[in-house]
Structure formats: C-alpha cells, structure tokens
Amino acid sequence: MSVTLKDVAQAARVSVSTASRALTGTGLTSERTQQRLVRIARELGYRPNPIARGLKTGQSRLVALLVHNLTNASFQVMAEVVQARLKALGYQMLLCIGGDDPQAESDTLTTLVDHRIDGLIVVPTGKNGAQLETLSKNVPIVCLVRRDDATDLETVLADDPQGAYLGTRHLIELGHKRIGLIVGRQDTTSGRERLSGYARALREAGIARDDTLIHAGHYVPETGATCARKLLDLPRPPSAIFVANHEATLGVLRVTAERNIAIPDDLSLLCYEDMPWFEWHRPAISIVDNGARDLANLAVDRLLHRMDAKGNSKGNGSDGAREYRVGARLIQRDSCRQIDASAPAKSGKSKPSSSKSSAAKSVKV
Amino acid sequence: MSVTLKDVAQAARVSVSTASRALTGTGLTSERTQQRLVRIARELGYRPNPIARGLKTGQSRLVALLVHNLTNASFQVMAEVVQARLKALGYQMLLCIGGDDPQAESDTLTTLVDHRIDGLIVVPTGKNGAQLETLSKNVPIVCLVRRDDATDLETVLADDPQGAYLGTRHLIELGHKRIGLIVGRQDTTSGRERLSGYARALREAGIARDDTLIHAGHYVPETGATCARKLLDLPRPPSAIFVANHEATLGVLRVTAERNIAIPDDLSLLCYEDMPWFEWHRPAISIVDNGARDLANLAVDRLLHRMDAKGNSKGNGSDGAREYRVGARLIQRDSCRQIDASAPAKSGKSKPSSSKSSAAKSVKV
DNA sequence: CGATAGACTGCAAACGATTGCAGAAACGCT
DNA sequence: AGCGTTTCTGCAATCGTTTGCAGTCTATCG
C-alpha cells in the first residue's frame, strides 16, 4: 500500500539497513548517501511506519491522559494543554475518560499498557494503587490533581491549603467575620485541604471557627443549593460564602437568585476554580484559580523528564521530589465586597477587574 | 518483559501457530487444546501485543476523533460519547484538537494515518478536502457537524435549518413579532442554515423580515455583547432575541444584566445549543438542543458500519445516503415569555420546566 | 486391511522497521 | 607494497503476531 523502507532502499540501490541508518540519522552513513536517501525518501513520500518501529523499539509515541470527565473545566484545559505539548514533541495523546470509577480505571490502565504507551498522566481514583505501582515499573507515570496514597508515584497537585487560605484571607480582609464554607467531602484530600486552609486563615485572624458555617458534600450543583439554603437560613447568616468548587457554585447562584439576594451587596461570593462564564456573569465572579494550566504543564514536564530518564539510563528514575504543588492565586472580580463601617464601599464594580495576587509556584515539599 | 504467545505455546507444549489459532478463536483447533490454551494463557497472564498484531494485520484498534477544541460543550459531550462507545468495542480513542486551523488539521491527519488508525471522525475545517478525500481511500472517515464541500464523505450534521425554524416558531407562537437574531458568520454552513430556518419561520408566519434585527459574527462572547447592544439600541428594539450559539449567549446576558433588563419580563431569550449551567441559571435558559449526543452516536454508528464494510468486502463502501441529519429539539425553560394582550402571562416561571418537542430524528436527505 | 478424507497441528514466511556483527573499501603510514 | 585504522555498508536476526501450506494422525468406508 504505502511506501516502505524497502522501496526507498531499492530506489537508491542500497540495503534497507543503510536506508534505515541514513533516515534515522545515526551518524553511521556517509554524508553523501545520507542526503541522497533523504531526498529519495521525500520524493517517494516515504513515511516510517510507527507500528513496525514500535514493535522493534518497544515504543509507541503514544502518551495517555486519564481523567474523570470533560465537563469539568479544569480537565478540559488540562487535556488541551497536554495534547498541545505532546503534539509539538511528536507524540499523540490517548485521552481516556474514567468517570472516577475504579473498575473503569483499572480496565483502561491494562489496555493502555497493552498498547505500549510511552507515558501516562493520570488523575487517580485512589483505588488502584497497587496496579499503578506495578505499571510504573514499565511505564513512566505521573499523577495529577489527586494523590494515590497507596503509591509513591510522582504527583502534581494544586496547592489547595494555600488556595483556600488565600481566598478566606481575602474575605477577611474585606471585613467579613462570618464566612460560610461549602467544601468537598472530607474523605478526599482536596476536601480536607481546602477546609484546613480556611481554618488557618480564620485562626490567624483570630476569628473563632463556627462549624454551623461549614458544609461538606459532593461537588455537584445540588449540594451547593442545599448548603446555601442551610447557610442562609441560619439565625445569623454569613456575610460571605466561599464555595470550594465551581459545580456547587451553580447551586448557590440559583438559591441567591430565587431569594433575590444581591451579590455582592447582600452577600459576597468567592469560588474555587475558574469557569469561562464566570467572567461574563453579572456580577463577574471572583475566584481562587487552582492553576489548571500550570498543573498540566508541570505534569507534562515531569513526565517528559521521567521518559528521558528511562531512555537514557534505565532504572534510576527516582531523583528527589515526589510531590509538586502549583500555587493558587486569587483573581478578584466583582462578587466580593468590603463590609466595614469605616470603609462603606457599596459596589464591588469599581474595583480593578482582574488584579492578581500570586502564591509561590511549584513548591517542592 | 511481558508474557508472549511463545511463552504460552511453550507452557502448553504446542507451536505458536496453534496457540495463536486457539486464542484468536478461529475454529481451527480442537475443542480440547483450545480450552487448554485459554486456561494457560489466563494463568500466565498473557495479553496479546496489539503492536505486533497490528503490524501483521494492518490494524491498530485506534480510532481518532478530531475536533476544534474542548471548551465547546458540544465537543465535550461528543468526545465523551465517542470514547465510551469505542471503549466498549475494544477500541481506544485518539483525541486530537485542531483549533479549527487548516495547517494543524493537515499535519494531524497525516500523523494519524501514519499510526494506521482504523477509523476517523472529524470536524473538518473545510480547507483540506483533497487530503481527506485521498485518505478516505485507506481509512474509513466520517465528517461531523460540518461538511467539507470539496469531498463527498459521509457526513453527520445537525439539522440547523430545522432547529432554527423550531426556535423561531416557538417565539412567534409566544406572540413575538420583532425577534432579534444573533447568528454565526455567513461563510459557514451552520451560520447560513440557522439564518434560513429563522427566515422560513418568519415567512410562514407572515412576518416581514427586518434585516436590522439580524446580526452575524464569530461564535464568541464579545460578538454576543456587541450585537445585543446594537439590537437593544434600536428605535424599536426586539421583544425577543434568538442567539444561535452558546458562546455568544454569555455576551448577551452580560449586556442585559448591565442594563437591568429583566428576562423574560422585558426580553425573551432563546439560545442554540445547551450548556450545563443553563438549567441552573435564573431564569433557566430555554434552548434549541442541537442533539450533540445523538450526532456523536450516529457518527459512531456510521463509522463502525464503514469499518465493517471495509473488513468484509473491501471496495464497495458507498451504500446510499452520504448525509445524515439529526433532529434538533426545543427545550423550554424560563427565559421566554408570552407577550399578547389576550394572554398576559406575566412570568415564565409557572411553565413546566422542561417539556420537549422533538423534531424528526436522523432523516436521510 | 488399505485407501482416503477430514481434522488438527507445525513449519516457516511474512508484516516493516532496527541493530549487532562482520566484511569491504578507503586511507594513511612505515 | 604491506598493514592497521577508520569509515561505511550489507547480511541476517529480531520484535510478537498471523497465516498459507504441508504434514501427521485418526476415523471411516469400501
């Protein structure tokens, strides 16, 4: 069907071995034949067959990204970033969607390894630690966003404690004393870490922690709505709500709309993770950006590093840090307002629309 | 490294050929050895190497999906659907993101074919018709969402004329006479088709078309905002706006918020394509659903059909329809309201939240 | 009992590349 | 001229499968 190395070799009246060496550019052929073969190959439209090559070399030029879904905005940008970076390096991305289901994850993993992927970036469910650990002996693996505690795989994480701290402190600085928190389940790392950041900020400010202001649940709109109602029905409702997830934000917004609660005048709202429409919403929603783009880039960096390491001197692999954290940053928009007798700012709209305060980035731990 | 067919054969004291035949289940081995080999293979944890197999058979069990981006909600669900369907059939999905850039598309296509993909679903830019046409001789291709007019490839399209018609008619039935339209560029099929559906509905209702109510532009929020301003600044502004794209909707919503225009009381809003948050927005936004999920499913069906056809009796390929359209449907939520002296409904909220009126599905043309 | 068909099985050649090894050519040196 | 290097080239094996062909074995029938 298509042009093979043999065809090129024949046309140039050399052996396939010579052709191979000339085209792959090992310096083992004379300058002249080298160039001649390159020319002929181009003329014939020769394209090396990655499958055949892969069989011999054990590599596939395929790198897999395994995420939970694509509705999550963070995963979208991660997928886009990973794909773009890899393509530039001549790799193709296999995108797999595991739905946060351990069984699906496990199946997918074995299939991927069958396909001899050269590397894997995975958002682990946390239930297949043993399997991941085993696979990592054959294939470079980097975990993203979540850590699988059963492994000591290299992991790239958002700095959730820092992000939550930053957000909470911002609200405190605006004069808020009663800050509601809607956070993820406490059996997930991110849920715990975000809560701890919130708690730290309160502590530092000398504000007593009030557990009636803290609600944990799944990252879905319904949770947001339920928790928002509970918070607003409190005898002394909060003056600000920090929603530690963008899905839940939907629910909160619905409730405030239903009850005609004006943001930011009646209630300040701060959200974790960005969404494209947050900027366009009126009022534009202030957020703590978890740095999805940076996370993805760092994950790719680390993966490439391991892939090199494996190629050059197989076996060492481990070289220092196993955990990387990417700093979160606050992006102020219009959904939080100052409440203080001494500075009675009425509207948030006068603030600069997108000033950024950045935390330390890529901190080794 | 891993267990090969040879290992299995050795363990079973048969030749590799027999092992191969037994495990691939060609009925050419005795029942007994067949079962014995299956057992031994399982015990040894044998997994066939798709690369080696691919080299011999010319197949890769890889199917590619080439879309423009992942921020578009339609592409997200398509990617998820395609991935899920393929996985169930033992294929892996290569997801490529072309950014609607002809050069990137072209590069990606050649790489994909190098990798001997077994099939391709592509949202074409429209500039690489010749290349697609050539490739389609080697690998089954189905176009999605857009048609590449330079080819006669099988194509799965949304029924945009129908969708736009349905939406416009709905607004007319609610009593609207001046209906603003914010639509895509007129050099794209979808832009033209949506406009034509709008026009047809007006014509049928005997409403004169007013070109000051029609604005075309890129599918981005800025366009929505600009066009919305122009529409609202009109001496006789429209009582309803039909936004033919979800990105542009963001811009429209911002403008209405800025100007304190209440939806649906002051202005009805209908949008093309769904977004997860439309349901949660207050008021929940009524839409014309373009059926992304159905489109993706149909595309997969068609692709599989062609892949079979190629496997069984190569060469025929063409069998009837080359264009499939998936019906759009109206999903009524709360952003459109009746305006009529005889039926002075004040609020849309009393309506059933999600009644559906479905158009013909999957119509051959 | 011998021939013959039928059912299994194994040998070996592919698929398209890469790569160790050894032979050939070219060159410089004494 | 002879010899050792260096540089280039080709042969052939290899990666892990599939598959055409030919061979072996058993069973069946005349």
Side-chain angles (χ1 to χ4, degrees), chain A residues 1-318:
Chain A
M1 188 69 262
S2 54
V3 184
T4 81
L5 193 53
K6 197 159 110 186
D7 300 329
V8 178
Q10 254 162 19
R13 317 198 144 278
V14 295
S15 69
V16 266
S17 0
T18 309
S20 170
R21 282 188 274 250
L23 295 178
T24 50
T26 60
L28 295 165
T29 59
S30 70
E31 193 79 2
R32 243 168 42 83
T33 51
Q34 151 101 344
Q35 294 186 349
R36 195 161 62 92
L37 276 164
V38 169
R39 206 197 62 230
I40 297 187
R42 188 170 33 229
E43 284 172 9
L44 263 53
Y46 167 71
R47 313 228 76 220
N49 180 335
I51 303 210
R53 176 177 287 172
L55 178 57
K56 181 66 187 174
T57 63
Q59 317 215 295
S60 59
R61 305 248 92 192
L62 256 34
V63 168
L65 173 66
L66 175 50
V67 297
H68 297 337
N69 60 57
L70 284 181
T71 41
N72 185 309
S74 301
F75 292 150
Q76 288 162 29
V77 329
M78 290 178 187
E80 293 202 354
V81 168
V82 171
Q83 133 94 29
R85 292 279 312 270
L86 290 178
K87 188 161 74 175
L89 292 161
Y91 289 91
Q92 291 295 307
M93 176 183 78
L94 279 170
L95 180 66
C96 300
I97 300 170
D100 204 1
D101 169 27
Q103 185 59 47
E105 177 180 51
S106 174
D107 293 349
T108 306
L109 286 176
T110 60
T111 323
L112 288 176
V113 176
D114 284 352
H115 276 277
R116 300 299 189 274
I117 51 169
D118 291 346
L120 169 66
I121 298 179
V122 55
V123 180
T125 63
K127 308 285 185 186
N128 289 305
Q131 189 180 11
L132 279 172
E133 190 73 24
T134 312
L135 297 185
S136 74
K137 300 216 169 59
N138 296 322
V139 176
I141 298 184
V142 170
C143 290
L144 185 58
V145 175
R146 280 205 207 159
R147 135 175 305 295
D148 189 322
D149 289 315
T151 72
D152 69 337
L153 294 170
E154 202 160 349
T155 304
V156 175
L157 295 172
D159 196 342
D160 278 337
Q162 173 74 354
Y165 169 78
L166 229 52
T168 312
R169 201 184 57 184
H170 173 60
L171 290 170
I172 293 173
E173 283 168 359
L174 288 177
H176 295 276
K177 301 247 187 299
R178 290 185 63 75
I179 301 174
L181 178 70
I182 299 177
V183 70
R185 299 197 333 268
Q186 289 300 298
D187 57 348
T188 67
T189 322
S190 71
R192 279 196 304 273
E193 290 189 345
R194 292 179 192 181
L195 176 53
S196 79
Y198 165 87
R200 178 159 75 92
L202 290 187
R203 211 180 316 119
E204 281 189 9
I207 300 176
R209 168 170 162 176
D210 178 349
D211 280 343
T212 60
L213 290 177
I214 300 174
H215 289 279
H218 283 280
Y219 284 149
V220 291
E222 285 75 11
T223 303
T226 319
C227 297
R229 288 205 186 89
K230 283 192 196 142
L231 286 170
L232 295 170
D233 287 342
L234 245 33
R236 285 182 57 212
S239 62
I241 297 185
F242 189 6
V243 191
N245 163 265
H246 67 82
E247 300 275 2
T249 303
L250 286 172
V252 176
L253 284 175
R254 163 175 273 196
V255 170
T256 56
E258 278 172 2
R259 299 191 177 193
N260 256 320
I261 295 175
I263 297 175
D265 295 331
D266 302 338
L267 180 73
S268 288
L269 183 66
L270 181 62
C271 176
Y272 215 98
E273 305 177 41
D274 206 358
M275 288 288 284
W277 57 270
F278 279 0
E279 256 192 284
W280 290 91
H281 188 266
R282 289 282 87 154
I285 296 173
S286 299
I287 60 151
V288 173
D289 179 9
N290 66 347
R293 185 155 250 106
D294 296 337
L295 282 166
N297 270 310
L298 185 52
V300 174
D301 289 343
R302 295 313 308 162
L303 185 68
L304 292 174
H305 180 255
R306 317 211 104 217
M307 284 165 60
D308 284 10
K310 192 185 174 193
N312 298 338
S313 59
K314 64 179 96 183
N316 66 345
S318 70

Side-chain angles (χ1 to χ4, degrees), chain B residues 18-220:
Chain B
T18 309
S20 170
R21 281 189 274 253
L23 295 178
T24 51
T26 60
L28 295 165
T29 59
S30 71
E31 193 77 6
R32 240 167 46 83
T33 51
Q34 151 101 345
Q35 294 186 349
R36 195 162 62 93
L37 276 164
V38 170
R39 206 196 63 230
I40 296 187
R42 186 168 37 228
E43 283 172 7
L44 263 51
Y46 167 72
R47 315 228 74 219
N49 180 334
I51 303 211
R53 176 177 288 171
L55 179 57
K56 184 68 189 169
T57 63
Q59 319 214 297
S60 58
R61 305 248 89 193
L62 255 34
V63 168
L65 173 65
L66 175 50
V67 298
H68 297 336
N69 61 57
L70 285 180
T71 40
N72 186 309
S74 300
F75 291 150
Q76 287 162 30
V77 329
M78 289 177 187
E80 293 201 354
V81 168
V82 171
Q83 134 94 29
R85 292 278 312 271
L86 290 177
K87 188 160 76 176
L89 292 161
Y91 289 92
Q92 290 295 308
M93 175 183 78
L94 279 172
L95 179 66
C96 299
I97 300 170
D100 205 359
D101 169 27
Q103 185 59 47
E105 177 180 51
S106 174
D107 293 350
T108 307
L109 287 176
T110 60
T111 321
L112 288 175
V113 175
D114 284 352
H115 275 278
R116 301 296 190 274
I117 50 169
D118 290 347
L120 169 67
I121 299 179
V122 55
V123 181
T125 63
K127 308 285 185 186
N128 290 304
Q131 189 180 9
L132 279 171
E133 190 74 22
T134 312
L135 297 184
S136 73
K137 301 217 168 58
N138 295 323
V139 47
I141 298 185
V142 171
C143 290
L144 185 58
V145 174
R146 281 206 207 158
R147 135 176 305 295
D148 189 321
D149 290 315
T151 72
D152 70 334
L153 295 169
E154 201 159 353
T155 304
V156 174
L157 295 171
D159 196 342
D160 278 338
Q162 172 74 353
Y165 169 79
L166 230 52
T168 312
R169 199 184 61 185
H170 173 59
L171 290 172
I172 293 173
E173 283 169 359
L174 288 176
H176 295 275
K177 302 245 185 303
R178 292 185 62 73
I179 301 174
L181 178 70
I182 299 177
V183 71
R185 300 198 329 269
Q186 289 301 296
D187 58 345
T188 66
T189 321
S190 71
R192 281 196 303 274
E193 291 189 345
R194 291 179 193 182
L195 176 54
S196 79
Y198 166 87
R200 177 158 76 91
L202 290 187
R203 210 180 316 120
E204 281 189 9
I207 299 178
R209 168 171 161 176
D210 178 349
D211 279 343
T212 62
L213 290 176
I214 301 175
H215 289 279
H218 283 280
Y219 285 148
V220 291

